[in-house]
Amino acid sequence: MPDDSRPLRADARRNRARILAVAEAVFAEKGPSASTEEVAERAGVAIGTVFRHFPTKHELLQAIMKDVLARLTEQATALAADGDPGTALFAFFADLVAQAAEKKTVVELLSATGAGLSMADAVRPLRQQIAALLDRAQQAGAVRANVRIDEVMALLAATCQGALQGGWDSDLRERTLTIVFTGLRA
Amino acid sequence: MPDDSRPLRADARRNRARILAVAEAVFAEKGPSASTEEVAERAGVAIGTVFRHFPTKHELLQAIMKDVLARLTEQATALAADGDPGTALFAFFADLVAQAAEKKTVVELLSATGAGLSMADAVRPLRQQIAALLDRAQQAGAVRANVRIDEVMALLAATCQGALQGGWDSDLRERTLTIVFTGLRA
DNA sequence: GGTTAATATGAGTTGCGACTCATGTTCTCA
DNA sequence: TGAGAACATGAGTCGCAACTCATATTAACC
């Protein structure tokens, strides 16, 4: 890991990007137990190249998480700025669970909130944006005042896990989330 | 797997029971990725003995699931007979989630409701007893009438997963379940 | 107690996946 | 354009865990 000494060579930058993109797809499809070999193959590079950029499978996973995390945080931030206070939280929540049904990565991510990978810190920005959404929803009277961010995160992680592992279809997902949202409302 | 030809020899019966008991503890503690070696060691038998009784790790897991399942179903049945209609479902629900926080096996089990192991059938009795609890709760006016068993099972699996992976402490667990239960009530 | 079929043993086989490294290739900058 | 550093390659190493099998024990029935 050259950290940030000199800028990467052009081919190295290209390969790093390819690997990251492909790895995200592979792990989203097969979960984190997918082999590094498969990532290398689909990226069209040798396995040594993958390990040059990410000396450990774990570091590769972390890099992906960081990307996904950044995207989600941005999405939440946008909703907190523009969205309807009364529905933005629920919209974001539903969207995430829908993604989880197809992207195993998202689930790993959310469950890292409590333990798992050592990236509890990395989740903090997302958590804070969700807290912002929660705040606005409560001010708008769309969510009970005594609901805390911990519970929202816990429910989010739980429903994502459930949707993935249980293979909920969109109908079941919607009905289940309706119950959860009812519990959150005043 | 001698199926059911002649009765097992005395030592074989003893070993089988020991292995099952130990394996349940081991997998509850370390999850299904724990090695068969460790089960054998803790049971005080050679690894070959474990494979004689359960030719596959998968079959060992299934046997454990079956046991746990039977116990849970019995518990649910008892509650459906004796318990207060208005609270029995919630009590059972909370109890299961509390167990999940410590027993990884329970979680694997519940998520098998949708997919995972090929034991969707084996879960049916439990599902039916929970359906009975739901029915009584609805008749008592403690749960909204339009809640279906699928949603309850989905929420159960999700919260169990969440409690395990997220390492919810008892406080967070209680507050989170309160929200879910509120969503289920009229 | 002797016979034997059932059972137990545990060193070995097999397969897989993370990770390494000697060698070959390509970018970069003067 | 040529030297050299950065990078890519992929066959090989290493460790682990599921599973096998020839051999040794033991329960069960006479």
PDB file of all heavy atoms in Angstrom, chain B residues 68-77 92 96 109-110 113 121-133 149 153 156:
ATOM      1  N   VAL B  68     -33.906 -27.977  17.803  1.00  0.00           N
ATOM      2  CA  VAL B  68     -34.254 -26.637  18.265  1.00  0.00           C
ATOM      3  C   VAL B  68     -35.687 -26.317  17.865  1.00  0.00           C
ATOM      4  O   VAL B  68     -36.482 -25.795  18.649  1.00  0.00           O
ATOM      5  CB  VAL B  68     -33.290 -25.598  17.662  1.00  0.00           C
ATOM      6  CG1 VAL B  68     -33.726 -24.192  18.036  1.00  0.00           C
ATOM      7  CG2 VAL B  68     -31.875 -25.854  18.130  1.00  0.00           C
ATOM      8  N   LEU B  69     -35.978 -26.647  16.623  1.00  0.00           N
ATOM      9  CA  LEU B  69     -37.300 -26.411  16.073  1.00  0.00           C
ATOM     10  C   LEU B  69     -38.381 -27.066  16.913  1.00  0.00           C
ATOM     11  O   LEU B  69     -39.410 -26.464  17.228  1.00  0.00           O
ATOM     12  CB  LEU B  69     -37.314 -27.010  14.664  1.00  0.00           C
ATOM     13  CG  LEU B  69     -38.231 -26.385  13.650  1.00  0.00           C
ATOM     14  CD1 LEU B  69     -38.026 -24.886  13.641  1.00  0.00           C
ATOM     15  CD2 LEU B  69     -37.897 -26.951  12.283  1.00  0.00           C
ATOM     16  N   ALA B  70     -38.140 -28.314  17.278  1.00  0.00           N
ATOM     17  CA  ALA B  70     -39.130 -29.054  18.063  1.00  0.00           C
ATOM     18  C   ALA B  70     -39.372 -28.364  19.395  1.00  0.00           C
ATOM     19  O   ALA B  70     -40.512 -28.196  19.840  1.00  0.00           O
ATOM     20  CB  ALA B  70     -38.646 -30.488  18.278  1.00  0.00           C
ATOM     21  N   ARG B  71     -38.283 -27.917  20.017  1.00  0.00           N
ATOM     22  CA  ARG B  71     -38.421 -27.249  21.317  1.00  0.00           C
ATOM     23  C   ARG B  71     -39.214 -25.953  21.204  1.00  0.00           C
ATOM     24  O   ARG B  71     -40.101 -25.670  22.003  1.00  0.00           O
ATOM     25  CB  ARG B  71     -37.018 -26.960  21.886  1.00  0.00           C
ATOM     26  CG  ARG B  71     -36.642 -27.901  23.017  1.00  0.00           C
ATOM     27  CD  ARG B  71     -35.239 -27.625  23.501  1.00  0.00           C
ATOM     28  NE  ARG B  71     -34.246 -28.293  22.658  1.00  0.00           N
ATOM     29  CZ  ARG B  71     -33.042 -27.806  22.399  1.00  0.00           C
ATOM     30  NH1 ARG B  71     -32.683 -26.633  22.878  1.00  0.00           N
ATOM     31  NH2 ARG B  71     -32.203 -28.479  21.651  1.00  0.00           N
ATOM     32  N   LEU B  72     -38.888 -25.185  20.160  1.00  0.00           N
ATOM     33  CA  LEU B  72     -39.582 -23.909  19.973  1.00  0.00           C
ATOM     34  C   LEU B  72     -41.062 -24.132  19.683  1.00  0.00           C
ATOM     35  O   LEU B  72     -41.923 -23.417  20.194  1.00  0.00           O
ATOM     36  CB  LEU B  72     -38.941 -23.133  18.816  1.00  0.00           C
ATOM     37  CG  LEU B  72     -37.565 -22.549  19.089  1.00  0.00           C
ATOM     38  CD1 LEU B  72     -37.043 -21.834  17.862  1.00  0.00           C
ATOM     39  CD2 LEU B  72     -37.608 -21.606  20.281  1.00  0.00           C
ATOM     40  N   THR B  73     -41.316 -25.130  18.845  1.00  0.00           N
ATOM     41  CA  THR B  73     -42.704 -25.404  18.496  1.00  0.00           C
ATOM     42  C   THR B  73     -43.499 -25.785  19.734  1.00  0.00           C
ATOM     43  O   THR B  73     -44.624 -25.334  19.937  1.00  0.00           O
ATOM     44  CB  THR B  73     -42.772 -26.540  17.458  1.00  0.00           C
ATOM     45  OG1 THR B  73     -41.965 -26.189  16.335  1.00  0.00           O
ATOM     46  CG2 THR B  73     -44.196 -26.771  17.008  1.00  0.00           C
ATOM     47  N   GLU B  74     -42.865 -26.589  20.570  1.00  0.00           N
ATOM     48  CA  GLU B  74     -43.525 -27.004  21.807  1.00  0.00           C
ATOM     49  C   GLU B  74     -43.842 -25.795  22.673  1.00  0.00           C
ATOM     50  O   GLU B  74     -44.949 -25.646  23.212  1.00  0.00           O
ATOM     51  CB  GLU B  74     -42.600 -27.968  22.564  1.00  0.00           C
ATOM     52  CG  GLU B  74     -43.268 -28.668  23.728  1.00  0.00           C
ATOM     53  CD  GLU B  74     -42.288 -29.634  24.396  1.00  0.00           C
ATOM     54  OE1 GLU B  74     -41.086 -29.617  24.016  1.00  0.00           O
ATOM     55  OE2 GLU B  74     -42.701 -30.388  25.267  1.00  0.00           O
ATOM     56  N   GLN B  75     -42.844 -24.924  22.774  1.00  0.00           N
ATOM     57  CA  GLN B  75     -43.025 -23.717  23.578  1.00  0.00           C
ATOM     58  C   GLN B  75     -44.186 -22.873  23.049  1.00  0.00           C
ATOM     59  O   GLN B  75     -45.026 -22.391  23.817  1.00  0.00           O
ATOM     60  CB  GLN B  75     -41.724 -22.908  23.535  1.00  0.00           C
ATOM     61  CG  GLN B  75     -41.692 -21.724  24.483  1.00  0.00           C
ATOM     62  CD  GLN B  75     -40.396 -20.927  24.295  1.00  0.00           C
ATOM     63  OE1 GLN B  75     -39.434 -21.422  23.716  1.00  0.00           O
ATOM     64  NE2 GLN B  75     -40.379 -19.693  24.773  1.00  0.00           N
ATOM     65  N   ALA B  76     -44.222 -22.729  21.730  1.00  0.00           N
ATOM     66  CA  ALA B  76     -45.290 -21.946  21.124  1.00  0.00           C
ATOM     67  C   ALA B  76     -46.643 -22.614  21.353  1.00  0.00           C
ATOM     68  O   ALA B  76     -47.649 -21.943  21.623  1.00  0.00           O
ATOM     69  CB  ALA B  76     -45.029 -21.785  19.624  1.00  0.00           C
ATOM     70  N   THR B  77     -46.644 -23.923  21.262  1.00  0.00           N
ATOM     71  CA  THR B  77     -47.889 -24.651  21.464  1.00  0.00           C
ATOM     72  C   THR B  77     -48.423 -24.432  22.875  1.00  0.00           C
ATOM     73  O   THR B  77     -49.615 -24.185  23.088  1.00  0.00           O
ATOM     74  CB  THR B  77     -47.671 -26.157  21.234  1.00  0.00           C
ATOM     75  OG1 THR B  77     -47.113 -26.339  19.937  1.00  0.00           O
ATOM     76  CG2 THR B  77     -48.972 -26.920  21.338  1.00  0.00           C
ATOM     77  N   PHE B  92     -43.599 -14.547  23.185  1.00  0.00           N
ATOM     78  CA  PHE B  92     -42.842 -15.531  22.422  1.00  0.00           C
ATOM     79  C   PHE B  92     -41.838 -14.844  21.503  1.00  0.00           C
ATOM     80  O   PHE B  92     -40.670 -15.231  21.426  1.00  0.00           O
ATOM     81  CB  PHE B  92     -43.807 -16.389  21.596  1.00  0.00           C
ATOM     82  CG  PHE B  92     -43.125 -17.469  20.794  1.00  0.00           C
ATOM     83  CD1 PHE B  92     -42.645 -18.602  21.428  1.00  0.00           C
ATOM     84  CD2 PHE B  92     -42.969 -17.335  19.425  1.00  0.00           C
ATOM     85  CE1 PHE B  92     -42.011 -19.602  20.697  1.00  0.00           C
ATOM     86  CE2 PHE B  92     -42.330 -18.328  18.689  1.00  0.00           C
ATOM     87  CZ  PHE B  92     -41.858 -19.457  19.325  1.00  0.00           C
ATOM     88  N   LEU B  96     -37.745 -15.222  21.707  1.00  0.00           N
ATOM     89  CA  LEU B  96     -36.948 -15.741  20.604  1.00  0.00           C
ATOM     90  C   LEU B  96     -35.823 -14.783  20.236  1.00  0.00           C
ATOM     91  O   LEU B  96     -34.678 -15.194  20.039  1.00  0.00           O
ATOM     92  CB  LEU B  96     -37.854 -15.955  19.391  1.00  0.00           C
ATOM     93  CG  LEU B  96     -37.820 -17.351  18.809  1.00  0.00           C
ATOM     94  CD1 LEU B  96     -38.791 -17.474  17.664  1.00  0.00           C
ATOM     95  CD2 LEU B  96     -36.431 -17.694  18.347  1.00  0.00           C
ATOM     96  N   LEU B 109     -31.799 -20.802  11.726  1.00  0.00           N
ATOM     97  CA  LEU B 109     -33.072 -21.490  11.652  1.00  0.00           C
ATOM     98  C   LEU B 109     -34.152 -20.621  11.038  1.00  0.00           C
ATOM     99  O   LEU B 109     -34.760 -20.976  10.035  1.00  0.00           O
ATOM    100  CB  LEU B 109     -33.485 -21.835  13.088  1.00  0.00           C
ATOM    101  CG  LEU B 109     -34.328 -23.072  13.332  1.00  0.00           C
ATOM    102  CD1 LEU B 109     -34.913 -23.002  14.698  1.00  0.00           C
ATOM    103  CD2 LEU B 109     -35.360 -23.254  12.267  1.00  0.00           C
ATOM    104  N   LEU B 110     -34.357 -19.500  11.637  1.00  0.00           N
ATOM    105  CA  LEU B 110     -35.458 -18.651  11.211  1.00  0.00           C
ATOM    106  C   LEU B 110     -35.301 -18.180   9.783  1.00  0.00           C
ATOM    107  O   LEU B 110     -36.260 -18.070   9.037  1.00  0.00           O
ATOM    108  CB  LEU B 110     -35.581 -17.445  12.134  1.00  0.00           C
ATOM    109  CG  LEU B 110     -36.565 -17.598  13.278  1.00  0.00           C
ATOM    110  CD1 LEU B 110     -37.968 -17.822  12.713  1.00  0.00           C
ATOM    111  CD2 LEU B 110     -36.209 -18.770  14.168  1.00  0.00           C
ATOM    112  N   THR B 113     -36.659 -20.008   6.811  1.00  0.00           N
ATOM    113  CA  THR B 113     -38.076 -19.918   6.470  1.00  0.00           C
ATOM    114  C   THR B 113     -38.258 -19.649   4.991  1.00  0.00           C
ATOM    115  O   THR B 113     -39.091 -20.252   4.328  1.00  0.00           O
ATOM    116  CB  THR B 113     -38.741 -18.771   7.260  1.00  0.00           C
ATOM    117  OG1 THR B 113     -38.523 -19.007   8.641  1.00  0.00           O
ATOM    118  CG2 THR B 113     -40.214 -18.719   6.976  1.00  0.00           C
ATOM    119  N   ASP B 121     -39.962 -26.982   4.891  1.00  0.00           N
ATOM    120  CA  ASP B 121     -41.049 -27.822   5.397  1.00  0.00           C
ATOM    121  C   ASP B 121     -40.942 -27.996   6.902  1.00  0.00           C
ATOM    122  O   ASP B 121     -41.939 -27.940   7.620  1.00  0.00           O
ATOM    123  CB  ASP B 121     -40.988 -29.217   4.765  1.00  0.00           C
ATOM    124  CG  ASP B 121     -40.909 -29.139   3.265  1.00  0.00           C
ATOM    125  OD1 ASP B 121     -41.354 -28.120   2.707  1.00  0.00           O
ATOM    126  OD2 ASP B 121     -40.401 -30.096   2.661  1.00  0.00           O
ATOM    127  N   ALA B 122     -39.717 -28.211   7.359  1.00  0.00           N
ATOM    128  CA  ALA B 122     -39.516 -28.497   8.774  1.00  0.00           C
ATOM    129  C   ALA B 122     -39.928 -27.333   9.661  1.00  0.00           C
ATOM    130  O   ALA B 122     -40.225 -27.520  10.846  1.00  0.00           O
ATOM    131  CB  ALA B 122     -38.055 -28.851   9.021  1.00  0.00           C
ATOM    132  N   VAL B 123     -39.967 -26.141   9.082  1.00  0.00           N
ATOM    133  CA  VAL B 123     -40.337 -24.973   9.875  1.00  0.00           C
ATOM    134  C   VAL B 123     -41.853 -24.834   9.970  1.00  0.00           C
ATOM    135  O   VAL B 123     -42.369 -24.105  10.806  1.00  0.00           O
ATOM    136  CB  VAL B 123     -39.711 -23.697   9.272  1.00  0.00           C
ATOM    137  CG1 VAL B 123     -39.979 -22.490  10.140  1.00  0.00           C
ATOM    138  CG2 VAL B 123     -38.221 -23.877   9.099  1.00  0.00           C
ATOM    139  N   ARG B 124     -42.539 -25.557   9.102  1.00  0.00           N
ATOM    140  CA  ARG B 124     -43.987 -25.374   9.010  1.00  0.00           C
ATOM    141  C   ARG B 124     -44.721 -25.532  10.348  1.00  0.00           C
ATOM    142  O   ARG B 124     -45.575 -24.702  10.666  1.00  0.00           O
ATOM    143  CB  ARG B 124     -44.562 -26.323   7.954  1.00  0.00           C
ATOM    144  CG  ARG B 124     -45.926 -25.872   7.473  1.00  0.00           C
ATOM    145  CD  ARG B 124     -46.259 -26.485   6.129  1.00  0.00           C
ATOM    146  NE  ARG B 124     -45.237 -26.165   5.122  1.00  0.00           N
ATOM    147  CZ  ARG B 124     -45.036 -26.884   4.021  1.00  0.00           C
ATOM    148  NH1 ARG B 124     -45.759 -27.960   3.788  1.00  0.00           N
ATOM    149  NH2 ARG B 124     -44.111 -26.533   3.156  1.00  0.00           N
ATOM    150  N   PRO B 125     -44.402 -26.576  11.127  1.00  0.00           N
ATOM    151  CA  PRO B 125     -45.116 -26.717  12.401  1.00  0.00           C
ATOM    152  C   PRO B 125     -44.966 -25.485  13.291  1.00  0.00           C
ATOM    153  O   PRO B 125     -45.934 -25.023  13.891  1.00  0.00           O
ATOM    154  CB  PRO B 125     -44.459 -27.934  13.042  1.00  0.00           C
ATOM    155  CG  PRO B 125     -43.864 -28.690  11.930  1.00  0.00           C
ATOM    156  CD  PRO B 125     -43.481 -27.695  10.903  1.00  0.00           C
ATOM    157  N   LEU B 126     -43.735 -24.971  13.356  1.00  0.00           N
ATOM    158  CA  LEU B 126     -43.511 -23.776  14.169  1.00  0.00           C
ATOM    159  C   LEU B 126     -44.332 -22.619  13.630  1.00  0.00           C
ATOM    160  O   LEU B 126     -45.005 -21.913  14.382  1.00  0.00           O
ATOM    161  CB  LEU B 126     -42.024 -23.418  14.175  1.00  0.00           C
ATOM    162  CG  LEU B 126     -41.667 -22.134  14.922  1.00  0.00           C
ATOM    163  CD1 LEU B 126     -42.105 -22.209  16.378  1.00  0.00           C
ATOM    164  CD2 LEU B 126     -40.165 -21.868  14.841  1.00  0.00           C
ATOM    165  N   ARG B 127     -44.276 -22.476  12.317  1.00  0.00           N
ATOM    166  CA  ARG B 127     -45.034 -21.405  11.678  1.00  0.00           C
ATOM    167  C   ARG B 127     -46.513 -21.498  12.025  1.00  0.00           C
ATOM    168  O   ARG B 127     -47.168 -20.500  12.301  1.00  0.00           O
ATOM    169  CB  ARG B 127     -44.841 -21.525  10.158  1.00  0.00           C
ATOM    170  CG  ARG B 127     -45.518 -20.455   9.333  1.00  0.00           C
ATOM    171  CD  ARG B 127     -45.564 -20.902   7.873  1.00  0.00           C
ATOM    172  NE  ARG B 127     -46.102 -19.894   6.994  1.00  0.00           N
ATOM    173  CZ  ARG B 127     -45.376 -18.918   6.461  1.00  0.00           C
ATOM    174  NH1 ARG B 127     -44.098 -18.825   6.737  1.00  0.00           N
ATOM    175  NH2 ARG B 127     -45.943 -18.027   5.660  1.00  0.00           N
ATOM    176  N   GLN B 128     -47.019 -22.710  12.029  1.00  0.00           N
ATOM    177  CA  GLN B 128     -48.448 -22.877  12.305  1.00  0.00           C
ATOM    178  C   GLN B 128     -48.796 -22.537  13.744  1.00  0.00           C
ATOM    179  O   GLN B 128     -49.856 -21.973  14.025  1.00  0.00           O
ATOM    180  CB  GLN B 128     -48.876 -24.301  11.962  1.00  0.00           C
ATOM    181  CG  GLN B 128     -48.898 -24.520  10.454  1.00  0.00           C
ATOM    182  CD  GLN B 128     -49.512 -25.842  10.056  1.00  0.00           C
ATOM    183  OE1 GLN B 128     -49.537 -26.789  10.842  1.00  0.00           O
ATOM    184  NE2 GLN B 128     -50.014 -25.910   8.832  1.00  0.00           N
ATOM    185  N   GLN B 129     -47.892 -22.861  14.651  1.00  0.00           N
ATOM    186  CA  GLN B 129     -48.160 -22.510  16.042  1.00  0.00           C
ATOM    187  C   GLN B 129     -48.102 -21.002  16.235  1.00  0.00           C
ATOM    188  O   GLN B 129     -48.878 -20.438  17.006  1.00  0.00           O
ATOM    189  CB  GLN B 129     -47.161 -23.209  16.973  1.00  0.00           C
ATOM    190  CG  GLN B 129     -47.439 -24.697  17.144  1.00  0.00           C
ATOM    191  CD  GLN B 129     -48.880 -24.985  17.549  1.00  0.00           C
ATOM    192  OE1 GLN B 129     -49.447 -24.300  18.390  1.00  0.00           O
ATOM    193  NE2 GLN B 129     -49.486 -25.978  16.918  1.00  0.00           N
ATOM    194  N   ILE B 130     -47.185 -20.373  15.527  1.00  0.00           N
ATOM    195  CA  ILE B 130     -47.114 -18.915  15.623  1.00  0.00           C
ATOM    196  C   ILE B 130     -48.369 -18.311  15.006  1.00  0.00           C
ATOM    197  O   ILE B 130     -48.913 -17.323  15.504  1.00  0.00           O
ATOM    198  CB  ILE B 130     -45.841 -18.388  14.935  1.00  0.00           C
ATOM    199  CG1 ILE B 130     -44.604 -18.922  15.674  1.00  0.00           C
ATOM    200  CG2 ILE B 130     -45.822 -16.870  14.922  1.00  0.00           C
ATOM    201  CD1 ILE B 130     -43.284 -18.492  15.080  1.00  0.00           C
ATOM    202  N   ALA B 131     -48.838 -18.935  13.941  1.00  0.00           N
ATOM    203  CA  ALA B 131     -50.079 -18.481  13.327  1.00  0.00           C
ATOM    204  C   ALA B 131     -51.225 -18.563  14.327  1.00  0.00           C
ATOM    205  O   ALA B 131     -52.099 -17.691  14.383  1.00  0.00           O
ATOM    206  CB  ALA B 131     -50.385 -19.307  12.083  1.00  0.00           C
ATOM    207  N   ALA B 132     -51.204 -19.611  15.135  1.00  0.00           N
ATOM    208  CA  ALA B 132     -52.241 -19.768  16.158  1.00  0.00           C
ATOM    209  C   ALA B 132     -52.153 -18.627  17.177  1.00  0.00           C
ATOM    210  O   ALA B 132     -53.174 -18.040  17.560  1.00  0.00           O
ATOM    211  CB  ALA B 132     -52.088 -21.117  16.853  1.00  0.00           C
ATOM    212  N   LEU B 133     -50.914 -18.329  17.582  1.00  0.00           N
ATOM    213  CA  LEU B 133     -50.724 -17.217  18.522  1.00  0.00           C
ATOM    214  C   LEU B 133     -51.225 -15.907  17.915  1.00  0.00           C
ATOM    215  O   LEU B 133     -51.870 -15.097  18.594  1.00  0.00           O
ATOM    216  CB  LEU B 133     -49.237 -17.083  18.884  1.00  0.00           C
ATOM    217  CG  LEU B 133     -48.628 -18.160  19.788  1.00  0.00           C
ATOM    218  CD1 LEU B 133     -47.120 -17.968  19.905  1.00  0.00           C
ATOM    219  CD2 LEU B 133     -49.281 -18.135  21.159  1.00  0.00           C
ATOM    220  N   ILE B 149     -49.498 -13.827   8.722  1.00  0.00           N
ATOM    221  CA  ILE B 149     -48.432 -14.632   9.315  1.00  0.00           C
ATOM    222  C   ILE B 149     -47.090 -14.404   8.604  1.00  0.00           C
ATOM    223  O   ILE B 149     -46.030 -14.381   9.243  1.00  0.00           O
ATOM    224  CB  ILE B 149     -48.801 -16.134   9.317  1.00  0.00           C
ATOM    225  CG1 ILE B 149     -47.697 -16.977   9.919  1.00  0.00           C
ATOM    226  CG2 ILE B 149     -49.125 -16.622   7.916  1.00  0.00           C
ATOM    227  CD1 ILE B 149     -47.443 -16.740  11.382  1.00  0.00           C
ATOM    228  N   MET B 153     -43.597 -13.636  10.508  1.00  0.00           N
ATOM    229  CA  MET B 153     -42.397 -14.465  10.350  1.00  0.00           C
ATOM    230  C   MET B 153     -41.232 -13.626   9.822  1.00  0.00           C
ATOM    231  O   MET B 153     -40.090 -13.775  10.261  1.00  0.00           O
ATOM    232  CB  MET B 153     -42.677 -15.625   9.389  1.00  0.00           C
ATOM    233  CG  MET B 153     -43.674 -16.646   9.904  1.00  0.00           C
ATOM    234  SD  MET B 153     -43.206 -17.424  11.468  1.00  0.00           S
ATOM    235  CE  MET B 153     -41.910 -18.534  10.948  1.00  0.00           C
ATOM    236  N   LEU B 156     -39.938 -11.514  12.590  1.00  0.00           N
ATOM    237  CA  LEU B 156     -39.244 -12.363  13.560  1.00  0.00           C
ATOM    238  C   LEU B 156     -37.839 -12.685  13.064  1.00  0.00           C
ATOM    239  O   LEU B 156     -36.844 -12.500  13.781  1.00  0.00           O
ATOM    240  CB  LEU B 156     -40.068 -13.646  13.738  1.00  0.00           C
ATOM    241  CG  LEU B 156     -39.834 -14.514  14.964  1.00  0.00           C
ATOM    242  CD1 LEU B 156     -39.791 -13.675  16.225  1.00  0.00           C
ATOM    243  CD2 LEU B 156     -40.932 -15.564  15.058  1.00  0.00           C
TER     244      LEU B 156
END
